[in-house]
Amino acid sequence: MSLASGLLRALDWVSLALFALAAAGLAALVAVTSVEVLLRYAFDAPTHWAADSVGYLLAAVVMLALPEVTRRQGHVAITFLSERSPWPRAQARSLALAAGLVCLGAAWIVSEEAARQLARGVLTQGAAPIPKVWITGTVVVGFAVSGLVFLRTALAPIKGG
Amino acid sequence: MDWPLALAFFFAALFLLMLTGLPVFVAFLVVNLGGLLLLIGSRGFGLFANSVVDSVTTGAFAAVPLFILMGEILFRSGSVEVLFDSVDRLIGRLRGRLYLVVISLSTVFGALSGSAVAVAALLGRSALPSMTERGYSARHSAGVILAGASLAPIIPPSFLAIIVGSMAEVSIAGLLVAGIVPGLLLAALTVGWVGLSVLRDPSVAPPDRPASEAGAGSLLGALARMLPFLLIVLSVMGLIVLGIATPSESAATGVLGAIAVAAIYRRLSWAMLVEALTAATRVSAMILVIVAASRLFSQLLAFTGATRALVAWSTGLDLEPMVMLALMMLVPFVLCMFLDQVAFLLMAVPLYSPLVAALGFDPIWFWTLFLINLTLGSVTPPFGYTLFALAGAAPQLGVGQIFRASLPVILLFIAGMVVLALWPGLVTWLPASL
């Protein structure tokens, strides 16, 4: 196995592992919200942490699932013009290249903010604060891994010549 | 930068990037990051990071994955098939029965998926071949599917309503509930159209073989089998209507209810739950990443002064409110022939929201009309997205036939919108009673 194919396989595994975390986050979202409903309406004992936790879990669901959506080429795109392109492969590669660079750029920008939050020890606002860098870091990971997946699509060898 | 120039620049850039086939969220990232660089410079990048973080942690958006998960569980557990059989049996020996079955089912599918494109593709693959094979008019069958599918963004729970409510700062519960009467009105108009068509030309609906030869006992059985399914739909909407739970909370209880329904129908399994969970995660990420990437767009428009200036200019025209409404509806009607509904929504809400306030329109009434209009654009030739979803799912029909099938649907929806525009109470009385 060459180094390149090993790296590509690792990228697949990272995307899948992040997606598994995102799906677990959605299951946790159901559990946390249901517990809150039960405690609030059945026992008149609302939690102080449920509302904040929902936001944190939602961030994990969206951003950690992003690389896998990218890997499956599942993003919403308006394709009625690109489908009629005389050079569909070249166009698809160019779009993936552009999307990859934009996502990596976004990851870099958000990582600067994450580094600032880490240095200053910024916490989220709310009744159950956590270090904000945990959320911002999730955004960085989502954009960065998606960017790499886009680049892989752009640079992948054409099967069958 | 002058505001008309800024407005034209931002919208043209976004529109062109989307038309290249770039993922919609990437198009928003390019315009927002480019706009920041242009207007503020790199020191504004912190705004971008915070807008993404704020979007993906907005609790109101939690209703989106939860409602999608509820729909996935009901779809994948086969609970919807039980409903299909029961509705089919209840409607019985009526001429044109399959039209009514499809309208009823597309209303339910639309409620579960929230996507007109998904419903059109699903029914195009499943119901349409069966209808044409039995001698039903292909044009009417396609029309009924298009009309039914177009109810998806209106019939609650609609993820588009949740996104609009959150972005325009309108009651999400109110917007969800507001879709009920218009959705039923449009479904009734479609039934009326089909009924008149059958009366005028009975050949569009041949005498149909009944779903089963069973008698009244079977009807009661059909009702009994529908009961758990209806309980879940009613409990979700009931909790919102009665103001007992927020949309996110009722969505979570809806997920538990869907699991219970699957268990009652003996269709519950770990494999099904895992499939539903992974599908819901993918779809939710696909939608909400666009929301996250676009959030800064409204702030950039406000920063250029375009939003405020556009409101001042529009209100300065001194046009009749109904003329303004018609103009404001014309834009989504035209652009949604080309653009994805979520993409257009995220472009339009920042501009329309202050205009709605300045013109004194009831926000729930306006945004409900807007949602109907989004769906109308997507069934309008030559570029309506839903039309191509149906054409892809039913290639035997041909695009021309599907285009012709869409014309009565467009007229029905326009008629419905005129009724709702003239009698706003039809939209607002239910949310007002919350």
Side-chain angles (χ1 to χ4, degrees):
Chain A
M1 188 170 67
S2 69
L3 180 65
S5 67
L7 285 174
L8 292 180
R9 189 165 292 182
L11 190 58
D12 284 342
W13 281 109
V14 169
S15 300
L16 282 171
L18 292 175
F19 184 75
L21 286 175
L26 180 52
L29 196 58
V30 176
V32 166
T33 315
S34 304
V35 165
E36 172 67 5
V37 172
L38 184 72
L39 290 177
R40 180 185 299 170
Y41 299 111
F43 298 101
D44 195 22
T47 66
H48 71 282
W49 46 265
D52 292 338
S53 305
V54 164
Y56 307 150
L57 287 168
L58 186 65
V61 171
V62 178
M63 295 313 299
L64 298 184
L66 190 60
E68 180 61 9
V69 176
T70 306
R71 201 172 72 89
R72 287 173 172 255
Q73 302 187 355
H75 288 296
V76 177
I78 292 154
T79 55
F80 68 86
L81 284 181
S82 58
E83 281 167 359
R84 289 163 178 75
S85 163
W87 311 282
R89 263 188 195 155
Q91 178 154 358
R93 282 173 182 276
S94 311
L95 290 174
L97 182 65
L101 294 175
V102 171
C103 283
L104 289 176
W108 174 73
I109 288 167
V110 183
S111 73
E112 298 266 292
E113 183 65 15
R116 192 189 64 79
Q117 290 168 355
L118 184 65
R120 294 186 185 176
V122 178
L123 297 178
T124 56
Q125 292 179 335
I130 60 169
K132 198 170 182 184
V133 70
W134 293 2
I135 306 294
T136 315
T138 311
V139 175
V140 174
V141 169
F143 279 142
V145 181
S146 284
L148 293 175
V149 174
F150 271 126
L151 288 187
R152 196 260 296 272
T153 308
L155 304 174
I158 297 169
K159 282 181 186 165
Chain B
M1 195 186 283
D2 290 339
W3 74 265
L5 189 64
L7 205 59
F9 175 77
F10 280 119
F11 276 88
L14 202 49
F15 197 64
L16 289 175
L17 284 169
M18 285 181 192
L19 287 183
T20 63
L22 208 57
V24 169
F25 89 95
V26 177
F28 270 112
L29 286 180
V30 172
V31 169
N32 284 340
L33 292 174
L36 269 180
L37 263 179
L38 202 66
L39 296 170
I40 306 175
S42 60
R43 68 186 193 290
F45 281 161
L47 283 176
F48 166 74
N50 286 325
S51 78
V52 175
V53 170
D54 287 347
S55 303
V56 294
T57 53
T58 299
F61 289 138
V64 174
L66 292 173
F67 276 132
I68 292 172
L69 179 58
M70 182 187 83
E72 287 288 341
I73 292 172
L74 290 172
F75 265 125
R76 287 170 191 273
S77 65
S79 307
V80 173
E81 288 165 25
V82 177
L83 188 72
F84 186 102
D85 292 340
S86 301
V87 170
D88 197 16
R89 193 158 297 186
L90 283 176
I91 291 172
R93 231 181 230 285
L94 200 65
R95 189 158 191 148
R97 183 184 98 232
L98 282 186
Y99 289 133
L100 297 183
V101 172
V102 165
I103 293 169
S104 314
L105 284 180
S106 51
T107 307
V108 176
F109 288 151
L112 296 181
S113 76
S115 161
V117 168
V119 178
L122 179 79
L123 291 175
R125 271 198 304 273
S126 55
L128 191 65
S130 160
M131 294 174 83
T132 47
E133 186 189 306
R134 292 185 195 191
Y136 277 72
S137 146
R139 180 168 163 252
H140 282 77
S141 303
V144 164
I145 289 175
L146 287 174
S150 302
L151 298 174
I154 311 157
I155 298 271
S158 149
F159 69 80
L160 287 178
I162 296 168
I163 294 173
V164 167
S166 177
M167 290 188 65
E169 295 179 0
V170 178
S171 158
I172 293 173
L175 262 180
L176 286 173
V177 172
I180 294 175
V181 174
L184 293 177
L185 171 75
L186 293 168
L189 285 174
T190 310
V191 171
W193 163 62
V194 169
L196 280 176
S197 302
V198 173
L199 281 178
R200 278 177 50 197
D201 179 7
S203 72
V204 302
D208 207 350
R209 57 179 186 269
S212 85
E213 298 302 329
S218 168
L219 283 182
L220 282 177
L223 273 175
R225 277 191 296 279
M226 283 172 71
L227 208 57
F229 194 96
L230 291 180
L231 278 178
I232 166 91
V233 174
L234 293 177
S235 66
V236 167
M237 287 322 297
L239 287 175
I240 298 175
V241 170
L242 295 172
I244 292 174
T246 65
S248 299
E249 290 171 346
S250 65
T253 55
V255 171
L256 297 184
I259 294 172
V261 167
I264 291 169
Y265 291 149
R266 299 182 186 282
R267 314 247 178 152
L268 185 61
S269 69
W270 277 112
M272 181 277 290
L273 281 181
V274 170
E275 278 177 19
L277 194 65
T278 51
T281 305
R282 267 196 299 275
V283 175
S284 308
M286 186 183 83
I287 296 165
L288 290 177
V289 76
I290 302 175
V291 177
S294 71
R295 181 60 80 87
L296 190 65
F297 190 64
S298 58
Q299 288 167 276
L300 282 180
L301 288 180
F303 188 82
T304 61
T307 313
R308 200 178 55 248
L310 184 71
V311 171
W313 177 77
S314 306
T315 47
L317 289 174
D318 220 16
L319 295 173
E320 284 292 318
M322 279 297 159
V323 177
M324 277 305 291
L325 180 72
L327 288 174
M328 289 172 79
M329 290 294 153
L330 188 65
V331 177
F333 176 70
V334 173
L335 287 183
C336 280
M337 294 180 207
F338 305 89
L339 290 180
D340 175 76
Q341 292 172 340
V342 178
F344 177 74
L345 191 76
L346 295 169
M347 289 166 75
V349 171
L351 275 187
Y352 273 21
S353 197
L355 263 178
V356 169
L359 292 166
F361 291 151
D362 182 301
I364 285 183
W365 169 73
F366 177 84
W367 290 114
T368 302
L369 285 177
F370 182 86
L371 285 174
I372 298 172
N373 208 4
L374 284 192
T375 200
L376 181 60
S378 78
V379 290
T380 304
F383 296 114
Y385 256 51
T386 312
L387 298 175
F388 289 106
L390 183 58
Q396 71 276 18
L397 280 191
V399 174
Q401 202 163 13
I402 291 174
F403 281 8
R404 283 192 293 281
S406 71
L407 295 179
V409 180
I410 295 165
L411 293 177
L412 283 176
F413 272 61
I414 290 175
M417 284 182 67
V418 169
V419 170
L420 296 169
L422 293 177
W423 288 281
L426 287 171
V427 179
T428 55
W429 75 268
L430 200 50
S433 63
L434 283 179

